[in-house]
């Protein structure tokens, strides 16, 4: 197999592939974390681009003027943003579930710096997110990223992206699924703590001498941690299902992008 950058046209094709791959890798979970040096991200993006260059279809049209080059780069950036947004929405499911559980158990009062995003977050949400990322990569979920990148060049070649309103509807549908799945993950803890607070309220009415605030906080915290530990034991099947849904969402997003606007 010849080296993929022997001619000037191959070098141009590599540039457009690198543009799309770089945007995606700089935004992906774990790969795009602030703790990872930008030089490593750039090197990984270049390595993936070199691997994809000889196996994906080369661009059929190359921009020649400066405005065409700017529009082409912008279209590749938008393409990478669409794919990254579809992926990040699914990882936001566990973050939303962690926020629900933290608020009910009382962990929401303890905020810490999240090294992944540089923002304040509670400990339970950070732990659930990192646990999800590790399990996701252990089941080879990262292959979805590479497969989606390779498929995007077959379905939407470089410099051929056109806006289709259907893609916005697809992202809205993903957001709705994200919210429902987040509620489903946190549902066991939400229901258990609701019943716990109901019982504590009845006790507060029947035994007014008891300081219900001093008793209720450790009780809810203990119940929440116990149910959370059982939740982690059965979390892998959900992640497998989430990976399949993510692959379907990426495929639908690419199909909507490739469809002509009506």
């Amino acid at each position: 197999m010849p080296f993929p950058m022997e001619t000037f046209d191959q070098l141009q094709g590599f540039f457009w592939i690198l543009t799309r791959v770089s945007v995606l890798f700089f935004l992906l979970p774990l790969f795009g974390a602030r703790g990872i040096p930008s030089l490593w991200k750039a090197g990984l993006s270049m390595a993936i681009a070199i691997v994809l260059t000889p196996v994906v279809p080369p661009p059929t049209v190359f921009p020649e003027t400066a405005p065409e080059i700017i529009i082409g780069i912008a279209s590749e950036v938008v393409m990478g943003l669409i794919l990254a947004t579809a992926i990040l929405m699914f990882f936001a499911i566990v973050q939303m579930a962690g926020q629900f559980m933290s608020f009910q158990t009382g962990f929401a009062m303890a905020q810490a710096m999240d090294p992944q995003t540089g923002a304040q977050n509670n400990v339970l949400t950070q732990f659930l997110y990192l646990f999800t990322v590790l399990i996701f990569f252990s089941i080879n979920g990262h292959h979805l990223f590479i497969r989606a990148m390779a498929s995007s060049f077959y379905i939407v070649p470089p410099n051929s992206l056109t806006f289709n309103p259907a893609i916005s509807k697809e992202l809205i549908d993903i957001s709705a699924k994200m919210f429902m799945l987040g509620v489903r993950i946190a549902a066991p803890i939400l229901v258990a703590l609701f019943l716990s607070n109901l019982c504590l309220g009845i006790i507060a009415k029947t035994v007014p001498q008891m300081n219900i605030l001093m008793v209720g906080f450790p009780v809810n915290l203990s119940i929440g941690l116990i149910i959370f530990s059982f939740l982690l034991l059965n979390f892998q099947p959900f992640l497998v299902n989430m990976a399949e849904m993510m692959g379907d969402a990426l495929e639908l997003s690419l199909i909507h992008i490739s469809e002509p606007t009506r």
Side-chain angles (χ1 to χ4, degrees), residues 172-186:
I172 292 174
D173 293 340
I174 294 175
S175 301
K177 294 178 182 178
M178 176 192 72
F179 182 81
M180 294 303 298
L181 287 175
V183 173
R184 287 175 58 186
I185 295 173

Side-chain angles (χ1 to χ4, degrees), residues 24 28 87 136 140-151 239-240 242-248 250:
L24 191 58
L28 285 178
I87 294 172
F136 186 77
N140 295 325
H142 57 286
H143 292 175
L144 291 173
F145 305 157
I146 302 175
R147 191 178 301 117
M149 283 188 292
S151 300
L239 291 181
V240 173
M242 188 183 75
E244 294 176 354
M245 293 180 59
M246 184 185 302
D248 295 338
L250 289 173

Side-chain angles (χ1 to χ4, degrees), residues 26 36-46:
F26 271 76
I36 298 180
S38 299
L39 185 61
W40 291 14
K41 301 176 188 177
L44 182 60
S45 301
M46 184 168 294

Side-chain angles (χ1 to χ4, degrees), residues 213-241:
L213 292 178
M214 297 297 295
V215 175
F217 183 77
V219 169
N220 288 339
L221 184 61
S222 301
I223 294 175
L225 289 178
I226 292 173
I227 298 179
F228 183 73
S229 62
F230 284 109
L231 181 65
L232 292 180
L233 295 176
N234 300 278
F235 207 57
Q236 183 171 349
F238 167 77
L239 291 181
V240 173
N241 186 28

Side-chain angles (χ1 to χ4, degrees), residues 63-207:
E64 297 179 355
T65 63
E68 291 178 351
I69 294 175
I70 294 175
I71 294 174
I73 293 176
S75 65
E76 294 305 306
V77 170
V78 171
M79 183 68 192
L81 286 174
I82 292 174
L83 294 177
T85 301
I87 294 172
L88 290 173
M89 279 185 176
F90 280 91
F91 280 92
I93 293 173
V94 293
Q95 292 179 309
M96 180 181 296
Q99 292 288 349
F100 289 153
M101 293 185 286
S102 299
F103 181 78
Q104 292 295 325
T105 56
F107 276 106
M109 294 185 294
Q111 299 287 328
M113 179 65 69
D114 186 0
Q116 297 285 324
T117 60
Q120 293 287 333
N121 211 341
N122 59 75
V123 179
L124 190 61
T125 303
Q126 291 185 32
F127 176 81
L128 187 60
Y129 175 76
L130 293 176
F131 181 80
T132 301
V133 170
L134 292 176
I135 296 296
F136 186 77
F137 279 89
S138 68
I139 61 175
N140 295 325
H142 57 286
H143 292 175
L144 291 173
F145 305 157
I146 302 175
R147 191 178 301 117
M149 283 188 292
S151 300
S152 67
F153 291 103
Y154 284 93
I155 300 175
V156 186
N159 303 313
S160 62
L161 176 65
T162 57
F163 177 75
N164 190 344
I167 187 61
S168 59
K169 181 178 181 301
E170 180 65 26
L171 293 177
I172 292 174
D173 293 340
I174 294 175
S175 301
K177 294 178 182 178
M178 176 192 72
F179 182 81
M180 294 303 298
L181 287 175
V183 173
R184 287 175 58 186
I185 295 173
I189 291 182
L190 297 179
V191 173
L193 293 182
F194 171 77
L195 297 176
S196 173
N197 290 327
L198 181 63
C199 295
L200 291 173
I202 296 174
I203 294 174
K205 286 293 184 180
T206 56
V207 187

